[in-house]
Amino acid sequence: MSKQTYRVCFCFQRRFKLAVSEAPPEVRAFFVQYSENGIMTADHFHRFLKEVQKEESATKELAQALIEQSLAEFKHLNIFHRKVFNLEAFFKYLFGDINPPISPALGVHHDMSAPLSHYFIHTGHNSYLTGNQLSSQCSDVPIIEALRRGVKVIELDIWPNSNKDDVDVLHGGTLTTPVELIKCLRSIKEHAFAASEYPVVITLEDHLTPDLQAKVAQMLTETFGDALFHPGSECLKEFPSPASLKKRIIISTKPPKKYPEAKNAVQGESDPKSGKTPADEEAWGKEVPDAKGATVANDKDELDKEDSTEEEDIDYGGSKSEQNVAPEYKHLIAIHAGKPKGGLAECLKVDADKVRRISLSEQQLEKAVVTYGKEIIRFTQRNILRVYPKGIRVDSSNYNPMIGWSYGAQMVAFNMQGYGRPLWVMQGMFRANGGCGYVKKPDFLLKSGSHNEVFGPKNGLPVKKTLKVKVYMGEGWYYDFKHTHFDAYSPPDFYARVGIAGVADDSVMKKTKALEDNWVPAWNEEFKFPLTVPELAVLRIEVHEYDMSEKDDFGGQTCLPVSELRRGIRAVPLNCPKGEKYKSVKLLMHFDFV
């Protein structure tokens, strides 16, 4: 079909010529440079791989294998039998699935023998919720989906059931419908290592009496068996490594001490009923905020007084002595959570004899980094910091994860059941290291200098390298969307947005011009991104369809870890708002570092 018809009214139609994918001018120039008489042999292609694609380890055998793999769909052409590229086949290779922006051969390549505190860990928040934080159903389904995507920290809020004789999982103080704890545990056992064999941490927000804690200990032991990690001592002196914990389940919660009188659903974290979703929030989520707007704490005491209201971190206090603490439950807790008395300054003190975890809300972290930034980084060199969404995010939206990561926070907990730009950045970060759910923190977050100084993600850092990104073109929307999806009366007017999520100085978004009435937009625009902390940078890519009268329509997105970007011309597949890959939609782009 060479033309496409749009009905404007009952008696009038508009016809548009359908564009076809053609090699961009720069790709044509490369083909001419690395071919003879319109033919690119394996020797020519080998030179192209080394000089343009910067694949220095590429061999002639690899070049030949890639040609043969790419030519499988060209069996009707003479070049298939000759095992060489013509321009069409060369272009199809560059725009094909076998030329992704991150090498699938990399796999897990970070050092996995360091303590858990040396890694960013893919972390979920309220992992059992299917939708919003107030009234959605609790289920094991989102837990399964999260584990399959590579999430390695699953959060379960555990409460007595209505008869007080068993344990349910639900979001306390809300209208969420419960799911049985045992069902969640069995699903975790079945799917824990679907993405990788590295350990899964279960963080328990515990609202149970001692008898039910004993029942949970029995459930955990019987469900996970030998896979359940037993710490062996009351407090670990140092966290084990992901490599030593392969196929293990780790429990993290506040060790039981004192217990409150029986309560009905105490509010967890912060009051979720106090916030509303902005009516004008875009369907694909707000723009990711940067770290420049962090609230400055005017008074140190203000930070100290503001304690986490998460149940796992509450010290119930009172005059009651310990009541029948379930030792079998207490002995299963490998990562101890909770804050000691004395405010945040006391919390961040590093103990040489034990390691632990503390939790801060996104708001608390924003305030804390202003006053205690260096102390937080020193704390996270040995201990674990978990950051969780503020309670007013009743729509299961998320926040900028870069603030937590740039101060060494390992568990930046996200509502995985939501979607939007912050979640896309989270997904991009954990595409690194083979998607195994663990990304080694940069050395500057793990070590102090000779004068005990630590990294500070502040303004004024020097540029380490500059990323050059050229957006050649895109295709695939015609096959994956109805022809009236973007515009009822004409083909779409696509534009691309490209930028960086990173420390404040590196974060930026730029965009191409919008090309009218074209299913195969060819922008051929280049952008440069100076990076002061490239180790934490995530490349953000979006496509939208310009609409003069309404909101621009969403056309695809992806985020990629800058640390693993392959130089050269690459085919970049795009995803839907929830992060699932489209069947056909992709961009042809060129990446380089200077």
Side-chain angles (χ1 to χ4, degrees), residues 125 160 244:
H125 173 257
S244 70

Side-chain angles (χ1 to χ4, degrees), residues 59-84:
T59 62
K60 290 184 180 179
E61 290 75 19
L62 173 66
Q64 186 66 64
L66 288 174
I67 288 176
E68 293 178 18
Q69 186 179 352
S70 184
L71 287 177
E73 60 182 286
F74 289 93
K75 292 184 179 180
H76 60 290
L77 301 178
N78 288 333
I79 58 168
F80 173 76
H81 303 288
R82 295 172 60 189
K83 297 179 181 178
V84 294

Side-chain angles (χ1 to χ4, degrees), residues 99-146:
N99 184 37
I102 297 176
S103 173
L106 269 180
V108 177
H109 59 283
H110 293 181
D111 174 15
M112 303 301 284
S113 63
L116 286 177
S117 55
H118 287 208
Y119 299 85
F120 299 129
I121 310 174
H122 206 175
T123 301
H125 173 257
N126 290 351
S127 305
Y128 49 86
L129 290 179
T130 56
N132 70 63
Q133 304 284 308
L134 290 180
S135 59
S136 67
Q137 186 176 357
C138 300
S139 168
D140 63 330
V141 172
I143 296 172
I144 295 169
E145 291 175 353

Side-chain angles (χ1 to χ4, degrees), residues 114-121 233 235-242 334-336 347-358 374-386 407-411 440-448 452 454:
L116 286 177
S117 55
H118 287 208
Y119 299 85
F120 299 129
I121 310 174
S233 62
C235 261
L236 293 172
K237 188 170 183 177
E238 185 178 63
F239 290 120
S241 69
I335 303 177
H336 287 207
C347 284
L348 295 172
K349 286 185 178 177
V350 177
D351 190 330
D353 295 322
K354 63 181 179 181
V355 289
R356 55 198 168 86
R357 169 173 76 81
I358 65 170
K374 293 179 180 179
E375 288 79 5
I376 291 173
I377 291 178
R378 288 195 182 97
F379 179 84
T380 57
Q381 288 173 352
R382 271 181 50 78
N383 301 280
I384 290 176
L385 171 60
R386 175 178 170 270
Y407 284 90
Q410 297 87 349
M411 296 182 178
K440 187 81 155 46
K441 295 200 289 187
D443 281 348
F444 56 75
L445 287 173
L446 299 173
K447 298 175 182 177
S448 300
N452 202 31
V454 294

Side-chain angles (χ1 to χ4, degrees), residues 253-274:
T253 187
K254 182 180 178 182
K257 290 183 180 178
K258 299 177 182 178
Y259 299 91
E261 298 295 337
K263 294 183 180 181
N264 293 324
V266 179
Q267 288 289 13
E269 295 178 356
S270 54
D271 185 0
K273 299 184 179 69
S274 59

Side-chain angles (χ1 to χ4, degrees), residues 451-516:
H451 301 290
N452 202 31
E453 70 273 14
V454 294
F455 169 76
K458 55 187 178 182
N459 297 344
L461 294 171
V463 172
K464 284 187 180 178
K465 62 173 69 173
T466 296
L467 171 64
K468 287 171 56 179
V469 178
K470 187 160 188 176
V471 189
Y472 290 122
M473 60 181 296
E475 69 171 14
W477 294 279
Y478 180 79
Y479 303 104
D480 291 355
F481 293 85
K482 291 182 179 179
H483 81 284
T484 56
H485 176 87
F486 296 104
D487 194 319
Y489 307 114
S490 66
D493 307 330
F494 287 125
Y495 65 91
R497 299 180 76 228
V498 183
I500 297 291
V503 298
D505 275 358
D506 294 349
S507 298
V508 65
M509 287 299 286
K510 303 178 181 181
K511 70 177 184 178
T512 69
K513 57 185 175 292
L515 298 181
E516 292 186 2

Side-chain angles (χ1 to χ4, degrees), residues 365-561:
L365 178 67
E366 286 181 9
K367 291 181 180 180
V369 297
V370 177
T371 308
Y372 299 109
K374 293 179 180 179
E375 288 79 5
I376 291 173
I377 291 178
R378 288 195 182 97
F379 179 84
T380 57
Q381 288 173 352
R382 271 181 50 78
N383 301 280
I384 290 176
L385 171 60
R386 175 178 170 270
V387 184
Y388 59 90
K390 58 189 177 185
I392 63 172
R393 294 189 181 276
V394 297
D395 57 348
S396 293
S397 61
N398 288 297
Y399 51 100
N400 181 4
M402 283 293 168
I403 301 173
W405 289 333
S406 60
Y407 284 90
Q410 297 87 349
M411 296 182 178
V412 178
F414 260 37
N415 293 310
M416 299 296 175
Q417 71 275 29
Y419 59 92
R421 289 183 170 113
L423 187 56
W424 303 343
V425 172
M426 175 70 68
Q427 292 165 346
M429 170 64 87
F430 287 101
R431 288 191 173 100
N433 201 27
C436 74
Y438 288 81
V439 173
K440 187 81 155 46
K441 295 200 289 187
D443 281 348
F444 56 75
L445 287 173
L446 299 173
K447 298 175 182 177
S448 300
S450 56
H451 301 290
N452 202 31
E453 70 273 14
V454 294
F455 169 76
K458 55 187 178 182
N459 297 344
L461 294 171
V463 172
K464 284 187 180 178
K465 62 173 69 173
T466 296
L467 171 64
K468 287 171 56 179
V469 178
K470 187 160 188 176
V471 189
Y472 290 122
M473 60 181 296
E475 69 171 14
W477 294 279
Y478 180 79
Y479 303 104
D480 291 355
F481 293 85
K482 291 182 179 179
H483 81 284
T484 56
H485 176 87
F486 296 104
D487 194 319
Y489 307 114
S490 66
D493 307 330
F494 287 125
Y495 65 91
R497 299 180 76 228
V498 183
I500 297 291
V503 298
D505 275 358
D506 294 349
S507 298
V508 65
M509 287 299 286
K510 303 178 181 181
K511 70 177 184 178
T512 69
K513 57 185 175 292
L515 298 181
E516 292 186 2
D517 302 334
N518 201 327
W519 283 102
V520 187
W523 298 285
N524 292 305
E525 294 190 41
E526 184 175 272
F527 305 99
K528 293 183 179 180
F529 302 101
L531 302 175
T532 63
V533 189
E535 298 89 345
L536 295 177
V538 172
L539 177 66
R540 298 175 50 201
I541 301 167
E542 301 176 10
V543 173
H544 301 284
E545 198 270 341
Y546 176 74
D547 194 320
M548 185 180 298
S549 59
E550 299 178 2
K551 288 179 182 176
D552 292 354
D553 293 313
F554 175 84
Q557 61 81 24
T558 192
C559 289
L560 302 167

